[in-house]
Amino acid sequence: MSAFFNGTLVGLPSDEVANTVNHAITGLASGFFAGFIGLLVHLRKTGPADLPAADRH
């Protein structure tokens, strides 16, 4: 996925260092996005119905 974004948004870099940096940045962004989506799914599965009555607001 990060290679797709790197090729689409950034284009082909001129040297190996720029390619490595671009892949590192897009890899971090993809990992953050996947973690965020995973957290949202987890929070949705463990919604307010799973909380004790004292913790519900």
Side-chain angles (χ1 to χ4, degrees), residues 3 8-9 12 18-20 29-30 35 38-39 42 44 47-48 51:
T8 304
L9 299 177
L12 294 175
N19 189 30
T20 303
S30 295
L39 179 63
H42 171 73
R44 186 174 183 139
L51 293 175

Side-chain angles (χ1 to χ4, degrees), residues 13-29:
S14 58
D15 61 351
E16 292 85 10
V17 175
N19 189 30
T20 303
V21 170
N22 289 341
H23 277 288
I25 291 170
T26 56
L28 286 172

